[in-house]
Amino acid sequence: MTERRIDVPVLTRVEGEGALFVRIEGEQVADLRLRIFEPPRFFEKFLEGRSWKEVPDAVARICGICPVAYQMSAVHAIEQAFGVEITPEIRALRRLYYCGEWLESHGLHIHLLAAPDFLGYPDAMRMAKDYPDLLRRGMALQGLGNDIVRLFGGRPVNPVGARVGGFYRAPTRREMDALQARAEALLPEAEALLRWTAGLKVPAVDRDVSCVSLRHDHEYPMNAGRIVSSQGLDIDARDYEAHFAEFQVPHSTALHAQLHGQPYWVGPLPRLNNNLDRLPPATARLLAETGIRWPSANPYHSIVARAVEMHLALVEAIGLLAGYRPLRQGYVDVSPRAGVGMAATEAPRGILWHRYELDGQGLVRAARIVPPTSQNQAQMEADLRASVQENLGLDDTALRARLEADIRNYDPCISCSTHFLRLTVERA
């Protein structure tokens, strides 16, 4: 019996650090472990005793790529605990804020992290020599997202402008006009990007997995909706803990999660699969032209889903910017009270669930935060196991590249839960 061992000391183009161990005996995957070994960050613990006013700025530091989702899940949960009702105008501004984050995060992942895998380059810098216009387009779309987040948050990374009840400052009409002109000019670029991703050659893969996302009565879900699955789940965010279970595994410092005892999948493709009928008409028409059969069970169609959501975010942003009427105040007044609040919003990588218990002064007594990457970990391991089994005939170099692409396809944000990748494959 022969034994083969493959080591990849660092996996590039993922957020954070970790490792993958694979042992193959004969023609079977005997063991596979997706290791996340970064130390715990203790965000939930050090929120205890903090004022409700500090929470949005504190949780924004959990992730430099999706801080808006952390802020929005937190403020929604705290507003629920305090019985706060926001106005339709503030709700619209929050949705625009979310559009900025999706443009920012999806633009980064498509062009700098995933595209080199599909085009056969080791990284975006070397890809840039042959595809300069592709990267310029991506950076322009991402740059608009950055500036939308900056408008509301004061800066594109770790923004500080959101608060429970709304925003510290309402934008001016002139500021919105400037963004609207840029968004309208970029709409053809977003259309071209969607068509380009749909034309990429991707492996033919099908995965039988439960797709979990939010679903709203009449809009594509971003920061509101019920938690649903492709297998029939339909619950309020307050019932999350009755259906989803987190658990520790020996090889990872980040928790795994299961729905009714089974792995599940969150992120742009599950979200799109569950909400095809909530797309704006212009985005739906483009999606129909791709020739891809939707809903899709091929994880590699995640890059198309991200492009769909960038187009959607741009269409939504243009409408929200055009309809804005300047506000005298960007927030509603808030009075703290004792209570428990729970909320889920759609981070670019999937649902992000928060729970806060607060006392009468609005001090946090307990906090629980469940990021999308932790929820996907069990499904990522199942997907990687299937991928190894399907590709046993590849040599070690090709198999390593395939597994790295598989992991990047999930766009794991390991820094949200901890950090990624040393790969070890043993064949006996």
Side-chain angles (χ1 to χ4, degrees):
M1 181 179 291
T2 59
E3 179 173 310
R4 298 168 66 187
R5 181 187 180 97
I6 301 174
D7 290 312
V8 181
V10 178
L11 178 74
T12 58
R13 295 186 275 124
V14 296
E15 170 63 27
E17 299 173 14
L20 179 66
F21 171 80
V22 183
R23 179 173 178 77
I24 304 166
E25 294 181 358
E27 297 299 315
Q28 296 296 320
V29 181
D31 191 12
L32 186 147
R33 283 169 274 159
L34 183 61
R35 295 173 173 168
I36 293 177
F37 43 74
E38 289 281 327
R41 299 172 71 196
F42 299 116
F43 262 87
E44 292 153 318
K45 196 64 181 174
F46 70 64
L47 284 172
E48 292 178 7
R50 298 281 182 177
S51 166
W52 59 280
K53 296 179 181 178
E54 298 178 83
V55 173
D57 289 352
V59 297
R61 270 68 175 175
I62 293 176
C63 182
I65 300 176
C66 52
V68 171
Y70 279 93
Q71 290 184 315
M72 291 298 100
S73 288
V75 298
H76 288 187
I78 295 171
E79 286 168 1
Q80 183 190 96
F82 292 169
V84 175
E85 295 290 336
I86 62 166
T87 64
E89 291 79 10
I90 291 172
R91 184 179 187 280
L93 293 182
R94 284 181 174 173
R95 193 164 173 87
L96 178 58
Y97 193 35
Y98 234 99
C99 290
E101 176 158 281
W102 280 16
L103 288 168
E104 184 180 73
S105 179
H106 287 343
L108 168 68
H109 184 265
I110 290 174
H111 298 92
L112 299 184
L113 306 183
D117 284 332
F118 295 102
L119 298 177
Y121 293 88
D123 54 56
M125 293 303 292
R126 274 168 277 195
M127 188 182 82
K129 292 177 61 178
D130 297 326
Y131 293 91
D133 292 339
L134 172 66
L135 287 172
R136 286 193 194 99
R137 181 172 70 197
M139 295 306 96
L141 288 163
Q142 183 182 344
L144 176 64
N146 287 347
D147 288 340
I148 293 174
V149 174
R150 180 185 286 114
L151 176 62
F152 291 98
R155 55 197 189 197
V157 178
N158 303 137
V160 293
R163 52 166 287 169
V164 178
F167 294 94
Y168 287 102
R169 185 184 78 88
T172 66
R173 183 63 254 178
R174 177 175 292 184
E175 290 171 323
M176 299 292 254
D177 285 344
L179 287 175
Q180 184 183 341
R182 285 175 59 194
E184 290 173 345
L186 283 170
L187 192 55
E189 303 292 348
E191 295 171 357
L193 174 63
L194 199 165
R195 293 190 178 99
W196 178 79
T197 59
L200 290 169
K201 289 187 66 176
V202 301
V205 174
D206 275 320
R207 298 283 182 257
D208 182 15
V209 57
S210 180
C211 294
V212 174
S213 72
L214 294 186
R215 182 167 171 84
H216 191 271
D217 287 344
H218 55 80
E219 63 189 20
Y220 197 86
M222 288 182 177
N223 54 351
R226 293 174 64 80
I227 298 174
V228 303
S229 81
S230 55
Q231 297 180 349
L233 182 77
D234 185 355
I235 61 170
D236 189 274
R238 285 172 288 198
D239 298 323
Y240 178 90
E241 291 171 304
H243 297 269
F244 295 84
E246 285 186 295
F247 57 94
Q248 187 75 59
V249 294
H251 57 273
S252 175
T253 55
L255 295 173
H256 283 212
Q258 291 183 337
L259 167 60
H260 300 156
Q262 297 295 321
Y264 62 99
W265 187 12
V266 301
L269 185 56
R271 188 163 54 222
L272 178 61
N273 282 341
N274 289 344
N275 292 283
L276 289 164
D277 58 343
R278 296 293 188 265
L279 290 172
T283 309
R285 282 195 294 273
L286 280 170
L287 188 65
E289 294 172 7
T290 63
I292 298 171
R293 185 175 179 179
W294 304 97
S296 170
N298 185 341
Y300 285 99
H301 285 151
S302 291
I303 192 170
V304 185
R306 288 187 177 91
V308 169
E309 290 192 337
M310 289 186 74
H311 185 269
L312 173 151
L314 202 54
V315 170
E316 289 261 347
I318 290 170
L320 292 165
L321 288 162
Y324 177 67
R325 300 290 179 268
L327 301 177
R328 182 182 60 82
Q329 176 175 289
Y331 59 89
V332 298
D333 292 323
V334 175
S335 297
R337 71 183 189 190
V340 178
M342 288 156 276
T345 70
E346 284 283 3
R349 291 157 189 79
I351 59 171
L352 169 59
W353 186 83
H354 285 216
R355 178 187 185 278
Y356 296 93
E357 182 179 344
L358 302 116
D359 68 13
Q361 287 70 52
L363 300 179
V364 176
R365 292 303 183 201
R368 186 176 172 211
I369 299 171
V370 184
T373 294
S374 290
Q375 297 182 73
N376 271 338
Q377 277 195 96
Q379 180 53 40
M380 274 195 283
E381 283 192 348
D383 195 4
L384 289 165
R385 180 179 288 269
S387 188
V388 173
Q389 200 67 53
E390 292 163 354
N391 293 284
L392 287 173
L394 295 179
D395 63 31
D396 289 354
T397 300
L399 180 58
R400 181 191 303 121
R402 178 63 180 267
L403 296 177
E404 290 183 10
D406 286 344
I407 293 168
R408 278 193 285 270
N409 194 52
Y410 278 86
D411 193 16
C413 191
I414 296 169
S415 64
C416 285
S417 47
T418 50
H419 278 196
F420 221 110
L421 180 74
R422 181 174 64 240
L423 170 65
T424 301
V425 178
E426 291 183 359
R427 301 184 190 230

